[in-house]
């Protein structure tokens, strides 16, 4: 089998790239190790533990590839405000969509909802060939570009291979792409909880001595008392919390959150995820590109991972469409380097900011505690600075691809 483009990984980022290029006149194959089956989603279903905080820029990308209507039809929870405070001091900061005359800051959406909505469009459209249950076993150079051997023995060749197969990317490993990475020595406990009080369409985040704790607003059949939680703690504390019975865990969670939304009344099953930072030294080589978590993974404290990945997909699609119009080869390193030059500085800046926040709020010395509380208070007192942050988060500024622009 042959194709112009093979995308390995049909997750949110890989599927978005495939749809962004479906009218580019390319032969595209989308390969995934999973079955690529769409799961039924009833309004009363239990929430999936993994969620994403989709920015307005991500919403525009998903709208333009045709997936946003499927997302809102299933389940999406808008949020209008963000409230962040230091659990070891008095510093706090509040962001509001109203400060820049926007309706919302973003939407909290379960990852499976985004994925299934993208699959709906892919299957209805039919212009991209889907290869489910096809795990990548070997990756070798060929005259055409790359030859891929799949777990069922099939071989596929393509001019360009794009790795969208996640943090433990097989493509990245088999192609010998080097990374810089380190372990945070923390784990994230994720689940969905129901609180005594409404979430107020607000994303809440408290920085504790153990690590950041986020309560992200969810809605189930009009009930606004639900939140998705991401609780970053040390490995030892994660083991202790995971071993607690449901009632004890709910009380510990409520106490860590200072009962801002009252008691935690219900909690779904918990999932524990090791936290590791990773960044590829290069996103491209001849006939190969890395996007999404295959290229970079960041601390989940701001929920920015999938937004970075969707921007990767939109920029790469824009670069490739422009190259086709100029008659250039898809796998030409000069073409692919245009994608890398646009995305690597932005991703590194976001990673550095998240790393700085994580280290600052984990710092124990009294001068640093005073500094971070003074910083939060200072920014809170500067509406222009907060509005700049909100505009950046909404995707109203910066080097945006066409799919993400207003």
């Amino acid at each position: 089998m042959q194709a112009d483009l093979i995308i390995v990984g049909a997750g949110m980022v890989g599927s978005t790239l495939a749809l962004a290029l479906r009218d580019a006149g390319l032969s595209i194959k989308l390969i995934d190790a999973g079955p690529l089956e769409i799961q039924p989603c009833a309004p009363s279903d239990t929430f999936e533990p993994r969620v994403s905080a989709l920015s307005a820029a991500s919403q525009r990308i998903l709208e333009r590839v045709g997936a946003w209507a499927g997302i809102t039809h299933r389940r999406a929870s808008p949020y209008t405000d963000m409230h962040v405070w230091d659990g070891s001091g008095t510093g706090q900061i509040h962001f509001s969509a109203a400060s820049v005359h926007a309706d919302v800051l973003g939407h909290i959406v379960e990852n499976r909802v985004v994925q299934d909505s993208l699959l709906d469009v892919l299957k209805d459209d039919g212009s991209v060939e889907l290869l489910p249950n096809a795990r990548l076993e070997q990756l070798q150079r060929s005259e055409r570009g790359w030859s891929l051997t799949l777990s069922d023995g099939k071989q596929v060749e393509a001019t360009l291979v794009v790795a969208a197969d996640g943090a433990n990317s097989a493509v990245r490993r088999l192609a010998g792409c080097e990374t810089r990475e380190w372990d945070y020595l923390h784990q994230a406990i994720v689940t969905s909880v129901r609180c005594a009080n409404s979430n107020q369409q607000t994303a809440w985040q408290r920085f504790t001595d153990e690590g950041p704790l986020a309560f992200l607003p969810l809605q189930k059949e009009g009930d606004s008392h639900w939140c998705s939680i991401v609780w970053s703690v040390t490995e030892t504390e994660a083991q202790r919390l995971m071993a607690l019975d449901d009632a004890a865990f709910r009380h510990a969670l409520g106490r860590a959150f200072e009962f801002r939304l009252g008691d935690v009344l219900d909690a779904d099953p918990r999932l524990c995820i090791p936290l590791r930072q990773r960044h590829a030294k290069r996103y491209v080589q001849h006939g190969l590109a890395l996007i999404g978590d295959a290229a970079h993974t960041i601390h989940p404290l701001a929920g920015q991972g999938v937004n970075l990945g969707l921007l990767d997909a939109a920029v790469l699609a824009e670069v490739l469409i422009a190259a086709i119009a100029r008659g250039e080869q898809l796998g030409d390193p000069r073409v692919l380097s245009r994608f890398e030059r646009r995305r690597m500085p932005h991703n590194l800046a976001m990673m550095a900011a998240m790393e700085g926040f994580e280290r600052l709020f984990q710092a124990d010395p009294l001068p640093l505690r005073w500094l971070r509380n003074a910083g939060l208070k200072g920014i809170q007192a500067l509406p222009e600075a907060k509005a700049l942050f909100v505009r950046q988060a909404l995707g109203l500024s910066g080097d945006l691809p066409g799919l993400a622009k207003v």
Side-chain angles (χ1 to χ4, degrees), residues 85-364:
W85 74 100
D86 185 355
S88 300
T90 58
Q92 58 183 315
I93 190 167
H94 172 248
F95 299 102
S96 171
S99 67
V100 293
H101 309 290
D103 293 329
V104 299
L105 289 177
H107 291 77
I108 307 301
V109 186
E110 299 151 86
N111 288 0
R112 75 173 185 192
V113 166
V114 181
Q115 177 61 58
D116 286 353
S117 300
L118 289 161
L119 277 178
D120 267 343
V121 182
L122 284 165
K123 291 186 175 184
D124 287 345
D125 183 85
S127 59
V128 175
E129 184 179 357
L130 302 178
L131 297 178
N133 301 309
R135 189 176 65 255
L136 178 63
E137 297 284 357
Q138 295 181 39
L139 179 67
Q140 296 176 314
R141 293 278 184 188
S142 69
E143 289 186 8
R144 184 177 175 85
W146 291 93
S147 175
L148 292 76
T149 302
L150 308 179
S151 53
D152 59 5
K154 292 179 182 177
Q155 286 195 320
V156 194
E157 290 196 358
T159 305
L160 174 61
V161 172
V162 175
D165 51 343
N168 298 311
S169 169
V171 175
R172 188 186 65 226
R173 173 175 53 82
L174 292 171
C177 302
E178 296 183 352
T179 61
R180 296 184 181 92
E181 51 189 276
W182 58 92
D183 197 317
Y184 281 112
L185 302 178
H186 272 61
Q187 297 187 348
I189 298 174
V190 296
T191 187
S192 302
V193 300
R194 187 173 184 274
C195 300
N197 301 327
S198 167
N199 56 48
Q200 304 170 45
Q201 288 194 326
T202 297
W204 307 84
Q205 187 151 284
R206 177 183 186 240
F207 284 91
T208 75
D209 290 339
E210 289 283 346
L213 168 59
F215 273 56
L216 307 175
L218 295 173
Q219 288 192 41
K220 181 188 289 189
E221 298 183 296
D223 184 354
S224 63
H225 291 69
W226 286 92
C227 289
S228 172
I229 68 123
V230 184
W231 193 359
S232 174
V233 293
T234 62
E235 295 174 345
T236 302
E237 180 66 0
Q239 293 174 7
R240 186 188 74 81
L241 292 170
M242 291 296 288
L244 294 177
D245 62 31
D246 192 58
F249 174 77
R250 287 188 282 110
H251 182 74
L253 177 62
R255 187 174 64 249
F257 193 56
E258 299 179 345
F259 297 101
R260 284 291 177 106
L261 300 179
D263 290 335
V264 178
L265 304 178
D266 298 290
D268 289 339
R270 292 156 249 163
L271 182 65
C272 193
I273 306 167
L275 298 180
R276 190 169 183 81
Q277 179 107 299
R278 181 183 291 107
H279 191 265
K281 293 182 179 180
R282 294 292 309 273
Y283 290 179
V284 301
Q285 53 178 278
H286 195 117
L288 183 76
L290 310 178
I291 63 175
D293 283 355
H296 45 77
T297 56
I298 67 172
H299 198 286
L301 69 87
Q304 289 296 309
V306 72
N307 294 319
L308 298 181
L310 293 176
L311 286 170
D312 287 350
V315 169
L316 181 56
E318 188 168 273
V319 166
L320 294 178
I321 290 169
I324 293 167
R326 288 192 288 265
E328 297 173 307
Q329 293 294 314
L330 292 182
D332 189 329
R334 291 172 297 182
V335 170
L336 298 177
S337 66
R338 295 168 197 157
F339 155 72
E340 183 180 62
R341 286 198 303 271
R342 288 180 64 182
R343 291 304 303 149
M344 186 175 280
H346 181 269
N347 292 335
L348 282 171
M350 179 61 72
M351 294 174 76
M354 294 305 99
E355 179 71 8
F357 270 116
E358 198 273 338
R359 292 193 179 191
L360 178 62
F361 281 92
Q362 288 299 302
D364 283 330

Side-chain angles (χ1 to χ4, degrees), residues 384-395:
E384 297 84 359
K386 291 200 297 178
L388 181 65
F389 176 90
V390 171
R391 281 194 291 270
Q392 184 71 30
L394 286 171

